[in-house]
Amino acid sequence: MARFWLICTLNYVTAVICGSAYEACKKAQEALGDLVVDTAPLNQTLVDKHWSDACDLEPYCIFTPTTSEDVSDLIKIVTQFQVKFAVRSGGHSPNPGWNGVDGRGVLFDLAGLNRLSVSVDGSVASFGPGARWLDILAATSAHNVSVLCPRTPDVGVGGFHLGGGVSFTANQFGLAASRVRQFEVVLGNGSIVTASDDRNSDLFWALKGGGANFGIVTRFEVDTIPTNEMWYSLTIYPSGHAEEVLDVMARWQLGGAHDLKSSIQLVLGLDSIIVLLCYSEVASLPVSFKPFYELPDGQVVLPPTNSTFHSLMKMIGETFGAQPGRGVASAIDAQLYKDVYRFWELRARSVRATTGANQSFVIQHVSKNLAIQAQKGGGSPLGMPAKDSQWWTTTVDWEAAKDDDAVRAVSIETTALMKSLSMERNLEVPFLYMNDASRDQDPIATYGSDNVNKLKRVSQNYDRGQVFQRLQNDGFLLRKLE
């Protein structure tokens, strides 16, 4: 009990809160053992698994369940003692407290829920929130199919799907959430239920973009996509070519992007510009990318390659590090891109000079086909744009906590300008993608009032004790909406 008294004698209120965590951890350990409940001194490898150092918090204890029954038992204990908790799938959120909690609460680490299988005919993949993308893609590749996966392999399975799930092939196949056949979910009362189009269909709808508001998903069963090999290439350009690249990006969006098999990841950094071209079948210089072939002074880092989705994700994981981001959307307009980019670049260079922070400016094209796909198979709560547009994400990587405000200000000010100019020029797209949103943004509010009200009703129906609103530490939670 040394740790209990060390932490919990500060004042009466803190002692009560920490006492609840102590009692919950003690009971969980007695019920499930040391292999499922990690107590003081905590395994620091588990504590520090968050992708962003800003999110490293040390809980009172860590739950490491390996079955949905474990999760059920643990959530019952959490509710019995009314203790704060957080849930971590891959730990990829850049927002402090979203998948972590301090010593007043407990952490569910779902890494042990990593079972993975593919149906004999390759049409369905089933996996837990602890599975890793390279393992999933290797398994599906053996059946000559793939799944909709994120744009970097360190993203967690759970958060990716519950936030919607944008992949390189989203414009062709839709969001990852729209490919889910069914979820296995542990509710706030410990019940284990299945949510699908014909079982708990309202919960099924809510989970496809509604985030961590309804329960802990312990298994995803998804339809695979009927393609395994793709074409891709990666070229780097000098940062001085930014406006020329942005012009070409807009030209592609208005023309070549109509070929839904094509997608582009455009990352404008302070020192270089990365252009990753992807085409979701075997090809040879797809004509849809013609504007980019004409750009001068590019250094080809990865020559045109026909290979698997697995190989692309592995290359990205080995070559590039993902960074915390802040998202916003707009209609297609080259002049808007350039005006906002100039504003961002000036401020980003100034902040780097004093803090050493590296920042990037990312544009992801979004086809109106995503909105169509999102409403298939029972629909989803996402208020997707009904026209071609793009999601902008400003990303940043820095070291010192003292620089947090200065560094984040660049993204905040850039987002504000982009929204302002978009409104002035009738280019506004009022949608935020949850998985690219920052902690001071409110993506669920952009889903539309009807969808928000329905999400609240689903929450009340399936979480009568409002466990995931009252006890969950933080996140894009319905409790924050007015």
Side-chain angles (χ1 to χ4, degrees), residues 147-448:
V147 292
L148 295 184
C149 59
R151 294 158 290 178
T152 180
D154 56 355
V155 170
V157 164
F160 176 67
H161 283 93
L162 297 180
V166 174
S167 69
F168 286 118
T169 53
N171 291 326
Q172 180 181 5
F173 294 107
L175 297 175
S178 68
R179 304 288 296 187
V180 177
R181 282 193 169 199
Q182 64 179 35
F183 302 90
E184 180 184 74
V185 194
V186 178
L187 303 179
N189 64 4
S191 299
I192 303 172
V193 303
T194 295
S196 65
D197 198 27
D198 56 5
R199 298 177 65 184
N200 301 307
S201 58
D202 51 349
L203 177 60
F204 181 58
W205 172 86
L207 290 169
K208 293 189 289 183
N213 281 287
F214 311 100
I216 298 177
V217 177
T218 52
R219 183 171 56 83
F220 301 83
E221 186 176 290
V222 308
D223 289 321
T224 60
I225 57 175
T227 182
N228 182 36
E229 291 187 285
M230 65 186 306
W231 178 97
Y232 52 86
S233 72
L234 191 149
T235 306
I236 293 180
Y237 299 90
S239 59
H241 285 268
E243 295 199 10
E244 189 174 1
V245 171
L246 290 170
D247 274 327
V248 169
M249 181 68 177
R251 282 172 52 202
W252 171 77
Q253 289 180 294
L254 295 171
H258 295 159
D259 182 348
L260 297 180
K261 295 177 182 177
S262 65
S263 68
I264 293 177
Q265 184 80 346
L266 174 59
V267 183
L268 298 103
L270 293 175
D271 300 314
S272 63
I273 301 166
I274 299 171
V275 177
L276 175 62
L277 308 178
C278 298
Y279 198 77
S280 59
E281 67 178 29
V282 173
S284 176
L285 295 179
V287 67
S288 56
F289 296 132
K290 188 175 184 295
F292 284 92
Y293 303 150
E294 300 168 357
L295 278 171
D297 301 326
Q299 177 186 353
V300 178
V301 175
L302 184 67
T305 301
N306 283 304
S307 191
T308 63
F309 285 86
H310 179 271
S311 69
L312 173 62
M313 288 286 281
K314 185 176 180 181
M315 181 276 293
I316 292 173
E318 293 173 346
T319 308
F320 303 102
Q323 298 172 334
R326 178 185 178 83
V328 68
S330 81
I332 299 167
D333 186 82
Q335 190 58 52
L336 176 66
Y337 302 172
K338 290 185 281 189
D339 290 344
V340 176
Y341 172 79
R342 292 189 200 106
F343 176 92
W344 167 83
E345 182 190 28
L346 182 64
R347 281 151 183 78
R349 289 194 183 281
S350 175
V351 168
R352 185 170 72 170
T354 57
T355 68
N358 286 311
Q359 307 210 23
S360 300
F361 195 79
V362 183
I363 297 181
Q364 170 82 27
H365 178 75
V366 182
S367 167
K368 61 184 178 183
N369 188 53
L370 252 67
I372 297 171
Q373 295 288 340
Q375 297 314 313
K376 292 182 178 180
S380 84
L382 297 169
M384 299 290 296
K387 60 183 179 181
D388 282 9
S389 55
Q390 66 277 315
W391 294 338
W392 306 48
T393 308
T394 50
T395 70
V396 58
D397 183 16
W398 75 104
E399 294 292 336
K402 66 180 178 61
D403 297 325
D404 286 3
D405 291 343
V407 170
R408 293 188 69 246
V410 177
S411 292
I412 293 170
E413 292 169 6
T414 301
T415 300
L417 176 71
M418 219 276 282
K419 290 183 67 175
S420 174
L421 292 181
S422 295
M423 293 177 67
E424 289 176 11
R425 302 175 189 182
N426 198 30
L427 298 168
E428 183 187 19
V429 175
F431 177 78
L432 288 176
Y433 174 46
M434 180 181 291
N435 292 346
D436 282 347
S438 183
R439 59 184 180 267
D440 57 313
Q441 296 182 296
D442 195 354
I444 292 179
T446 70
Y447 292 1

